[in-house]
Each structure stands twice: as structure tokens, then as C-alpha cells.
Amino acid sequence: AFSMPQALAFVNPNSPKSLGVSSANTLKTQLEAKRNPIGEIALTAAAFASVFLTGTADMNMALAADGDGGASNTANSKITTGGASTLQSGRTIAITRGVNMDRSDFSKQNLKGVAFQQSIVRDANFQGSNLLGASFFDATLNGSNFEDADMTQVNLEMAQLSRANMKNTVAREMYVGGATIFDDIANIENSDWTDTFLSKYQKKLLCGHPTAKGTNPVTGVDTRESLMCID
């Protein structure tokens, strides 16, 4: 499962403000003080983005971050293309690369613009979360739950979504490459794929899925129409 010190070890060691391993326990202790009643770390999306996106986050700034946030400041602006090749504040994003976040619970969180690229995020729960502009470039998402999530403008280039649940998902304007794997996806019922450009193979695969039906409860768009299926 997700390890806070492990993820912190990926910050930029060359930055004067970077958080090295020696600071990891301090930040972890302060973050754990924000735990909610069921024991989950109540980490705001802005603090999460400050630590995991910039690689040069100031610890006090990260802990003080709040608001609707997500990754909403200039350094953490939402990712719409490019994934791992995208630059933010002159730095290549390479933050959670290789971090194992299997079975993590990110449900009902504001994760706007957060970068999960090249991470292992199998059987994780993103149900009901705001993932607007988040990046899952080259991430392993097998078995993860995106039901009721807003995945508008999410980067899924080279991502693997076998067994993933995208029921009721708003999947509009996503960045999908030919290497994005939807094979064996579990559920796309009531999902909205408007303006998400798919390869012929991906389109055929999704249109032929037994759950390719219904209407998205948020946008009111028919799933098969959004996929431009030929019936």
C-alpha cells in the first residue's frame, strides 16, 4: 500500500527546499495529525500536489495549503498533454514514479491535477473523486475503481486499465494514446467519453463491451453516443 516516506524519497534532492528522507518522518507525523475519524490521512489535494508534483515543496507551505486547490497554482497547473514529458516550473515531472500505491483509498477526494504517472496503482479506490487534469501516464491501474469520478482531461497515455471500473465516470477530453490498454476493462456503463479520441481498436473494444450502455448521471450524455458507436 501507499507509503508516505517512500513517496517523499522521490523529491528532488538538488533543491534547497526539497524534502529528503530525513524530513519524511516529520512531515508524516504532521500529516497524520490531520487524520479523520476513520484513520485515513486527511491530506488536502493541494498539500498532496505540493509534495508529489513539484518535487521542491516547502514543508510548511504544503501543510498550510487548502481551498478547493487540487494542483491549482502555477507550479502545479493541470496536466492536459505530455505526461512524463510535461514541464512545470522548469522541472520534468517524475514524482511518484515506481511508487506502489496498490489498494490505496483516494475516494471522494479533490485530486485535481495530481500526478500519478508511472506509478503502480492497482485495485485502488478513486470512487467519486475529482481527477480533473490528473496524470496517469504509463501507470498501472488494473482493478482500480473510478466509479462516479470526474476524469475530464486526465492523461491516460500508456496506462493499463484492465479490470478497472469506470461506471458513471465522466471521461471527457481524456488524453488517450494508442498504447493505452482498455482490454478486460470491467465496467463502462453510464460513462461519458465525449471528445476523448480513441484508436479504431479501442473504440471497437469499448463499443463491443457488454456494459457500453446507459446515460451519464452528471452530463446526461448517452454512453454509446459519446463513444460514437455505430449501432
Coordinates of all heavy atoms in Angstrom, one line a residue, residues 93-139:
I93 N 8.3 16.3 -14.6 CA 7.5 15.6 -13.6 C 8.0 14.2 -13.5 O 8.0 13.5 -14.4 CB 6.0 15.6 -13.9 CG1 5.5 17.1 -14.1 CG2 5.2 14.9 -12.8 CD1 4.1 17.1 -14.6
A94 N 8.5 13.8 -12.3 CA 8.9 12.4 -12.1 C 8.8 12.2 -10.6 O 9.8 12.0 -9.9 CB 10.3 12.2 -12.6
I95 N 7.6 12.2 -10.1 CA 7.4 12.3 -8.6 C 7.0 11.0 -8.0 O 7.8 10.5 -7.2 CB 6.4 13.4 -8.3 CG1 6.7 14.7 -9.0 CG2 6.3 13.6 -6.8 CD1 8.1 15.2 -8.7
T96 N 5.9 10.4 -8.4 CA 5.5 9.1 -7.8 C 6.0 7.9 -8.7 O 5.5 6.8 -8.5 CB 4.0 9.0 -7.6 OG1 3.4 9.1 -8.9 CG2 3.5 10.2 -6.8
R97 N 7.0 8.2 -9.5 CA 7.4 7.1 -10.4 C 7.9 5.9 -9.7 O 8.7 5.9 -8.8 CB 8.6 7.6 -11.3 CG 9.2 6.6 -12.2 CD 10.3 7.2 -13.0 NE 9.8 8.2 -13.9 CZ 10.6 9.1 -14.5 NH1 11.9 9.1 -14.3 NH2 10.1 10.0 -15.3
G98 N 7.2 4.7 -10.0 CA 7.6 3.5 -9.4 C 7.1 3.3 -8.0 O 7.2 2.2 -7.4
V99 N 6.4 4.2 -7.4 CA 5.8 4.1 -6.1 C 4.6 3.1 -6.1 O 3.8 3.2 -7.0 CB 5.4 5.4 -5.5 CG1 4.7 5.2 -4.1 CG2 6.6 6.3 -5.3
N100 N 4.6 2.2 -5.2 CA 3.5 1.2 -5.2 C 2.4 1.8 -4.3 O 2.5 2.0 -3.1 CB 4.0 -0.1 -4.6 CG 2.9 -1.2 -4.7 OD1 1.8 -1.0 -4.5 ND2 3.4 -2.4 -5.0
M101 N 1.2 2.1 -4.9 CA 0.1 2.6 -4.2 C -1.1 1.6 -4.3 O -2.3 2.0 -4.3 CB -0.3 4.0 -4.7 CG 0.8 5.0 -4.4 SD 0.3 6.7 -4.9 CE 0.9 6.6 -6.6
D102 N -0.8 0.3 -4.5 CA -1.9 -0.7 -4.6 C -2.8 -0.6 -3.4 O -2.4 -0.4 -2.3 CB -1.2 -2.1 -4.6 CG -0.6 -2.4 -5.9 OD1 -0.7 -1.6 -6.9 OD2 0.0 -3.5 -6.0
R103 N -4.1 -0.7 -3.8 CA -5.2 -0.8 -2.8 C -5.3 0.5 -1.9 O -5.9 0.4 -0.8 CB -5.0 -2.0 -1.9 CG -5.1 -3.3 -2.6 CD -4.9 -4.6 -1.8 NE -3.5 -4.6 -1.3 CZ -2.5 -5.0 -2.0 NH1 -2.6 -5.4 -3.3 NH2 -1.2 -5.0 -1.5
S104 N -4.8 1.6 -2.4 CA -4.9 2.8 -1.6 C -6.4 3.4 -1.8 O -7.0 3.2 -2.8 CB -3.9 3.9 -2.1 OG -2.6 3.5 -1.8
D105 N -6.8 4.1 -0.8 CA -8.2 4.7 -0.8 C -8.1 6.2 -1.1 O -7.7 6.9 -0.2 CB -8.9 4.4 0.5 CG -10.3 4.9 0.4 OD1 -10.8 5.3 -0.6 OD2 -11.0 4.8 1.5
F106 N -8.4 6.6 -2.3 CA -8.4 8.0 -2.7 C -9.9 8.4 -3.0 O -10.1 9.4 -3.7 CB -7.6 8.3 -3.9 CG -6.1 8.0 -3.8 CD1 -5.5 6.9 -4.3 CD2 -5.3 8.9 -3.1 CE1 -4.1 6.6 -4.1 CE2 -3.9 8.7 -2.9 CZ -3.4 7.5 -3.4
S107 N -10.8 7.7 -2.4 CA -12.2 8.0 -2.8 C -12.7 9.4 -2.2 O -12.2 9.8 -1.2 CB -13.1 6.9 -2.2 OG -13.0 6.8 -0.8
K108 N -13.5 10.0 -3.0 CA -14.2 11.3 -2.7 C -13.2 12.4 -2.3 O -13.4 13.1 -1.4 CB -15.2 11.0 -1.5 CG -16.3 10.1 -1.9 CD -17.3 9.9 -0.8 CE -18.4 8.9 -1.2 NZ -19.3 8.6 -0.2
Q109 N -12.0 12.4 -3.0 CA -11.0 13.4 -2.7 C -10.9 14.3 -3.9 O -11.2 14.0 -5.0 CB -9.7 12.7 -2.5 CG -9.6 11.8 -1.3 CD -9.8 12.5 0.0 OE1 -9.3 13.5 0.2 NE2 -10.6 11.9 0.8
N110 N -10.4 15.5 -3.7 CA -10.1 16.5 -4.7 C -8.7 16.3 -5.1 O -7.7 16.8 -4.5 CB -10.3 17.9 -4.2 CG -10.0 19.0 -5.3 OD1 -9.8 18.6 -6.5 ND2 -10.0 20.2 -5.0
L111 N -8.5 15.5 -6.2 CA -7.1 15.2 -6.7 C -6.9 15.9 -8.0 O -6.1 15.4 -8.9 CB -7.0 13.7 -6.8 CG -7.2 12.9 -5.6 CD1 -7.2 11.4 -5.8 CD2 -6.1 13.3 -4.5
K112 N -7.5 17.1 -8.2 CA -7.3 17.8 -9.4 C -5.9 18.1 -9.8 O -5.1 18.7 -9.0 CB -8.1 19.2 -9.3 CG -8.0 20.1 -10.5 CD -8.7 21.4 -10.1 CE -8.6 22.4 -11.2 NZ -9.2 23.7 -10.9
G113 N -5.4 17.6 -10.9 CA -4.1 17.9 -11.4 C -3.0 17.1 -10.8 O -1.8 17.3 -11.0
V114 N -3.3 16.1 -9.9 CA -2.3 15.4 -9.2 C -1.6 14.4 -10.2 O -2.3 13.8 -11.0 CB -2.8 14.6 -8.0 CG1 -1.8 13.7 -7.4 CG2 -3.3 15.7 -6.9
A115 N -0.3 14.2 -10.1 CA 0.4 13.3 -11.0 C 0.6 11.9 -10.4 O 1.3 11.8 -9.3 CB 1.7 13.9 -11.4
F116 N 0.1 10.9 -11.0 CA 0.3 9.5 -10.6 C 1.1 8.8 -11.6 O 1.1 7.5 -11.7 CB -1.0 8.8 -10.4 CG -1.8 9.3 -9.2 CD1 -2.8 10.3 -9.5 CD2 -1.7 8.8 -8.0 CE1 -3.6 10.8 -8.4 CE2 -2.5 9.3 -6.9 CZ -3.4 10.2 -7.2
Q117 N 1.8 9.5 -12.5 CA 2.4 8.8 -13.7 C 3.5 7.8 -13.3 O 4.2 8.0 -12.3 CB 2.9 9.8 -14.7 CG 4.1 10.6 -14.3 CD 3.7 12.1 -14.2 OE1 2.6 12.4 -13.8 NE2 4.6 12.9 -14.6
Q118 N 3.5 6.7 -14.1 CA 4.5 5.7 -14.0 C 4.4 5.0 -12.6 O 5.4 4.5 -12.1 CB 5.9 6.1 -14.3 CG 6.0 6.6 -15.8 CD 7.4 7.1 -16.2 OE1 7.9 7.9 -15.5 NE2 7.9 6.5 -17.2
S119 N 3.3 5.1 -11.9 CA 3.1 4.5 -10.6 C 2.3 3.2 -10.7 O 1.6 3.0 -11.7 CB 2.4 5.5 -9.7 OG 3.1 6.7 -9.6
I120 N 2.3 2.4 -9.7 CA 1.6 1.2 -9.6 C 0.4 1.4 -8.7 O 0.6 1.6 -7.5 CB 2.5 0.1 -9.0 CG1 3.8 -0.1 -9.9 CG2 1.8 -1.2 -9.0 CD1 4.9 -0.9 -9.3
V121 N -0.8 1.5 -9.3 CA -2.0 1.9 -8.6 C -3.1 0.9 -8.8 O -4.2 1.2 -9.2 CB -2.5 3.3 -9.0 CG1 -3.3 3.9 -7.9 CG2 -1.3 4.2 -9.2
R122 N -2.8 -0.4 -8.5 CA -3.7 -1.5 -8.8 C -4.7 -1.6 -7.6 O -4.4 -1.4 -6.5 CB -3.0 -2.8 -9.0 CG -2.1 -2.9 -10.2 CD -1.2 -4.1 -10.2 NE -0.3 -4.0 -9.0 CZ 0.8 -4.7 -9.0 NH1 1.2 -5.6 -9.9 NH2 1.6 -4.7 -7.9
D123 N -6.0 -1.9 -8.0 CA -7.1 -2.1 -7.0 C -7.2 -1.0 -6.1 O -7.6 -1.2 -4.9 CB -6.8 -3.4 -6.3 CG -6.7 -4.6 -7.2 OD1 -7.7 -4.9 -8.0 OD2 -5.7 -5.3 -7.2
A124 N -6.9 0.2 -6.5 CA -7.1 1.4 -5.7 C -8.5 2.0 -5.9 O -9.2 1.7 -6.8 CB -6.1 2.5 -6.1
N125 N -8.9 2.8 -4.9 CA -10.3 3.3 -4.9 C -10.3 4.8 -5.2 O -9.9 5.6 -4.3 CB -11.0 3.0 -3.6 CG -12.5 3.4 -3.6 OD1 -13.0 3.7 -4.7 ND2 -13.1 3.3 -2.5
F126 N -10.8 5.3 -6.4 CA -10.9 6.7 -6.7 C -12.4 7.0 -6.8 O -12.7 8.1 -7.4 CB -10.2 7.0 -8.0 CG -8.7 6.9 -8.0 CD1 -8.1 5.7 -8.3 CD2 -7.9 8.0 -7.6 CE1 -6.7 5.6 -8.3 CE2 -6.6 7.9 -7.6 CZ -5.9 6.7 -7.9
Q127 N -13.3 6.2 -6.2 CA -14.7 6.5 -6.4 C -15.1 7.8 -6.0 O -14.8 8.3 -4.9 CB -15.5 5.4 -5.7 CG -17.0 5.5 -5.9 CD -17.7 4.3 -5.3 OE1 -17.1 3.4 -4.7 NE2 -19.0 4.3 -5.5
G128 N -15.8 8.6 -6.8 CA -16.4 9.9 -6.5 C -15.4 11.0 -6.4 O -15.7 12.1 -5.9
S129 N -14.1 10.8 -6.9 CA -13.1 11.8 -6.7 C -13.0 12.7 -7.9 O -13.4 12.4 -9.0 CB -11.7 11.1 -6.6 OG -11.6 10.5 -5.3
N130 N -12.5 13.9 -7.7 CA -12.3 14.9 -8.7 C -10.9 14.7 -9.2 O -9.9 15.0 -8.5 CB -12.5 16.3 -8.2 CG -12.1 17.4 -9.2 OD1 -12.0 17.1 -10.4 ND2 -12.0 18.6 -8.8
L131 N -10.7 14.2 -10.4 CA -9.4 13.9 -11.0 C -9.2 14.8 -12.2 O -8.3 14.5 -13.1 CB -9.3 12.4 -11.4 CG -9.3 11.4 -10.3 CD1 -9.6 10.0 -10.8 CD2 -7.9 11.4 -9.6
L132 N -9.9 15.9 -12.3 CA -9.7 16.8 -13.4 C -8.3 17.1 -13.7 O -7.5 17.6 -12.9 CB -10.5 18.1 -13.2 CG -10.3 19.2 -14.2 CD1 -10.9 18.8 -15.5 CD2 -11.0 20.5 -13.7
G133 N -7.8 16.8 -14.9 CA -6.5 17.1 -15.4 C -5.4 16.3 -14.7 O -4.2 16.6 -14.8
A134 N -5.7 15.2 -13.9 CA -4.7 14.4 -13.3 C -3.9 13.6 -14.4 O -4.4 13.4 -15.5 CB -5.3 13.5 -12.3
S135 N -2.7 13.1 -14.0 CA -1.9 12.4 -15.0 C -1.7 11.0 -14.4 O -1.2 10.8 -13.3 CB -0.6 13.0 -15.2 OG 0.2 12.2 -16.1
F136 N -2.1 10.0 -15.3 CA -1.8 8.6 -15.0 C -0.9 8.0 -16.1 O -1.0 6.9 -16.5 CB -3.1 7.8 -14.9 CG -3.9 8.1 -13.7 CD1 -5.0 8.9 -13.7 CD2 -3.6 7.5 -12.5 CE1 -5.7 9.2 -12.6 CE2 -4.4 7.7 -11.3 CZ -5.4 8.6 -11.4
F137 N 0.0 8.9 -16.7 CA 0.8 8.5 -17.7 C 1.6 7.2 -17.4 O 2.3 7.2 -16.3 CB 1.8 9.6 -18.1 CG 2.9 9.3 -19.1 CD1 2.6 9.5 -20.5 CD2 4.1 8.8 -18.7 CE1 3.5 9.2 -21.4 CE2 5.1 8.5 -19.7 CZ 4.8 8.7 -21.0
D138 N 1.5 6.2 -18.2 CA 2.3 4.9 -18.0 C 2.0 4.3 -16.6 O 2.9 3.7 -16.1 CB 3.8 5.2 -18.2 CG 4.6 4.0 -18.5 OD1 4.0 2.9 -18.8 OD2 5.8 4.0 -18.3
A139 N 0.8 4.5 -16.1 CA 0.5 4.0 -14.7 C -0.2 2.6 -14.9 O -0.9 2.4 -15.9 CB -0.3 4.9 -13.9

